[in-house]
Amino acid sequence: MKVRTRFAPSPTGYLHIGGARTALFSWAYARRHGGRFILRIEDTDLERSTQQSVEAILEGMRWLGLDWDEGPFFQMKRLGRYREAAESLIAAGHAYRCWMTREELDLLRREQISRGEKPRYDGRWRPERGLAPPKDRPPVIRFRTPEEGAVGWNDLVKGPIEFPNAELDDLVLLRADGVPTYNFGVVVDDLDMEITHVIRGDDHVNNTPRQIHIFKGLNRQLPFFGHVPMILGADGERLSKRHGATSVIEYKNLGFLPEAVVNYLARLGWSHGDEEMFSKQQFVSWFDLGHVSRSPAQFNPEKLAWLNQQYLKAAPDERLAELTGLPRAVVALLKDRAQSLAQLADEATIFSRYEAKPVEFDKQAFQMLKAKLATVAWERGAINAAIKDVVKASGLKMPAIAMPLRMMVTGRAQTPSIDAVLELLGRDTVMLRLEHYLGK
């Protein structure tokens, strides 16, 4: 069997961290088994779907490096196919037309709730009821759900799951305007695209029994289903904006490296021994659904920031220089101190922005240092030797020289090694800033 997986987001917003993790797992499963990964855009929510959201999703996928083999396919370009499939279900006795209005359905539900019953469609337009169709409105098409027995599957993540058919009502397949509902569109698409493995969030578990009935009604083989755990914030609630950044592109804009985000997403609900850091290629070679947790994963921004810092440290200076627009030498000096590209750029402002501040210092010692720096070879080793000479000659301790020197030349109390900072600032800049405190 040729493995075929898919990622099928709705274009109603950005690519969410949870959606990106689902896409990553589906992508990795296909790559691990030499299969195909399909991208499908489920754009049937006409009020909320936008082209801007489509572009945001594609941008997020490309940034993460989740390349797709087929697509993107759009559901709104396939309306004729859904109509054809719905008519075939009617012909086979698995679906029927229903003329119930929204007002009638709302009234029915209120009456059921008042009697302490579960609100649900009552099957009144099933053909055997013998109602005469009205001519003043178009019908929807509903699936004829079996009333006896149960429906179940062996989930690739959660194990055996079963639902009594009595819990399921006759769901709408096709709305009166010809647009498919989620559950129907998904099944027809997965059949036509020959999807073998449906890997998605476990918020879809309740949709699966309905979809299985439709698969069987169309007399087609079921795909395998694997429902991965949802992602929670630190407070145990479903991950949302109140927990901080939740968009993949937000993390790009905050200065995270895509490989760090991929690495972190891979560890959200899946593990390979004690491995913390690994490449995308290693992840593909290790990934299997058997090691996906059944419990919700907890998103930890601090852990992601730490992981990004490790990737920044290991990244080539040339790459970081290209991403930030900073000189390579500045990147090399500062990258170990930064958790993101944005922080790296901020740290680098010591070389582009300066504000003189009041500093307490030993004037005699600094006059000596200024004289030495005026003539020393301008490279880190020689600058360091000059500072040490002044420390020895003045009888002061190193902090009594290094700390005021930092403030004088950068306006900051904390910097990387001061000799390296002076080397990059250049002799003219350093002398000019020392003159502010010591005179010419």
Side-chain angles (χ1 to χ4, degrees):
M1 176 180 62
K2 185 76 168 179
V3 168
R4 292 174 63 86
T5 67
R6 48 76 160 178
F7 177 53
S10 297
T12 56
Y14 50 77
L15 179 59
H16 187 272
I17 284 291
R21 196 271 308 265
T22 299
L24 174 63
F25 283 9
S26 295
W27 173 87
Y29 194 85
R31 293 291 176 264
R32 166 77 187 276
H33 295 281
R36 307 278 286 177
F37 176 60
I38 291 87
L39 178 60
R40 186 169 75 223
I41 305 297
E42 298 185 343
D43 56 348
T44 56
D45 186 340
L46 301 182
E47 292 184 0
R48 299 171 61 216
S49 296
T50 66
Q51 184 60 35
Q52 183 180 4
S53 294
V54 172
E55 295 302 326
I57 290 168
L58 299 183
E59 181 187 1
M61 295 280 286
R62 292 188 184 107
W63 183 67
L64 292 173
L66 303 183
D67 52 321
W68 53 92
D69 302 301
E70 299 174 25
F73 299 106
F74 294 85
Q75 288 187 320
M76 288 304 294
K77 295 181 179 180
R78 289 171 43 80
L79 297 185
R81 175 67 183 110
Y82 305 126
R83 171 64 65 180
E84 175 188 326
E87 293 293 344
S88 72
L89 285 170
I90 292 175
H94 295 301
Y96 59 92
R97 292 177 175 84
C98 168
W99 285 267
M100 192 173 196
T101 65
R102 168 58 60 186
E103 293 74 22
E104 290 171 337
L105 186 57
D106 289 343
L107 176 60
L108 172 64
R109 288 172 173 166
R110 288 196 299 270
E111 291 172 347
Q112 290 169 329
I113 292 171
S114 70
R115 296 193 297 266
E117 301 171 1
K118 179 180 178 179
R120 51 187 290 151
Y121 173 71
D122 59 4
R124 67 180 61 180
W125 282 100
R126 283 192 170 200
E128 63 268 23
R129 302 290 179 89
L131 295 179
K135 300 184 184 300
D136 61 342
R137 58 182 180 271
V140 301
I141 296 178
R142 288 185 180 270
F143 186 79
R144 187 185 185 113
T145 302
E147 297 177 283
E148 305 293 331
V151 57
W153 71 98
N154 187 24
D155 197 272
L156 296 176
V157 174
K158 296 180 172 295
I161 300 176
E162 187 174 85
F163 285 79
N165 284 327
E167 291 292 314
L168 309 172
D169 61 1
D170 291 358
L171 77 153
V172 173
L173 301 178
L174 212 60
R175 301 183 181 95
D177 61 3
V179 176
T181 59
Y182 167 75
N183 282 304
F184 186 49
V186 162
V187 171
V188 176
D189 290 344
D190 285 345
L191 284 175
D192 289 356
M193 296 170 194
E194 301 180 315
I195 302 302
T196 61
H197 294 74
V198 174
I199 301 168
R200 58 189 177 193
D202 63 6
D203 52 332
H204 287 290
V205 165
N206 289 337
N207 290 320
T208 305
R210 299 178 180 278
Q211 293 172 16
I212 288 175
H213 278 312
I214 300 171
F215 274 110
K216 291 181 176 178
L218 291 168
N219 197 29
R220 299 287 291 273
Q221 182 176 345
L222 295 176
F224 295 97
F225 294 97
H227 291 88
V228 301
M230 68 173 56
I231 301 174
L232 306 179
D235 57 2
E237 297 296 322
R238 187 167 183 169
L239 190 65
S240 66
K241 286 187 176 181
R242 71 175 180 277
H243 297 109
T246 57
S247 159
V248 166
I249 295 303
E250 276 187 273
Y251 282 99
K252 176 186 178 183
N253 295 338
L254 288 170
F256 283 72
L257 295 178
E259 58 268 35
V261 176
V262 166
N263 191 156
Y264 184 71
L265 290 177
R267 292 282 283 116
L268 280 178
W270 174 86
S271 62
H272 182 78
D274 296 325
E275 298 288 343
E276 287 282 354
M277 289 186 65
F278 42 81
S279 68
K280 198 158 56 174
Q281 291 71 30
Q282 287 175 306
F283 174 55
V284 167
S285 69
W286 294 336
F287 183 71
D288 66 340
L289 293 171
H291 286 87
V292 174
S293 171
R294 298 184 182 185
S295 303
Q298 190 170 82
F299 188 81
N300 185 331
E302 291 77 21
K303 182 65 176 291
L304 174 55
W306 173 85
L307 193 61
N308 195 58
Q309 184 174 35
Q310 309 315 305
Y311 275 95
L312 283 173
K313 288 180 180 179
D317 297 340
E318 294 82 357
R319 179 188 174 201
L320 300 184
E322 183 178 347
L323 288 171
T324 59
L326 297 171
R328 182 182 176 281
V330 171
V331 167
L333 177 63
L334 299 175
K335 72 177 186 178
D336 286 358
R337 301 165 57 86
Q339 288 193 326
S340 69
L341 294 173
Q343 187 179 355
L344 177 59
D346 183 65
E347 291 282 342
T349 58
I350 63 173
F351 299 106
S352 59
R353 290 202 300 263
Y354 173 72
E355 180 184 351
K357 298 177 181 178
V359 182
E360 292 185 7
F361 59 96
D362 185 297
K363 189 167 185 177
Q364 186 176 356
F366 270 83
Q367 290 284 11
M368 188 188 316
L369 177 61
K370 178 171 172 285
K372 284 185 173 289
L373 293 178
T375 58
V376 72
W378 204 257
E379 53 88 17
R380 183 174 179 178
I383 294 170
N384 181 270
I387 295 172
K388 287 182 176 179
D389 287 346
V390 172
V391 168
K392 184 176 181 180
S394 66
L396 298 172
K397 295 186 180 297
M398 177 61 79
I401 298 295
M403 292 181 69
L405 182 57
R406 279 191 173 87
M407 289 297 298
M408 288 178 178
V409 298
T410 70
R412 299 187 184 187
Q414 294 183 332
T415 70
S417 181
I418 189 60
D419 50 5
V421 171
L422 295 185
E423 181 184 38
L424 287 179
L425 280 171
R427 191 195 310 268
D428 291 346
T429 298
V430 170
M431 298 307 293
L432 187 64
R433 292 178 183 180
L434 289 178
E435 286 172 2
H436 173 80
Y437 295 94
L438 299 168
K440 291 189 178 181

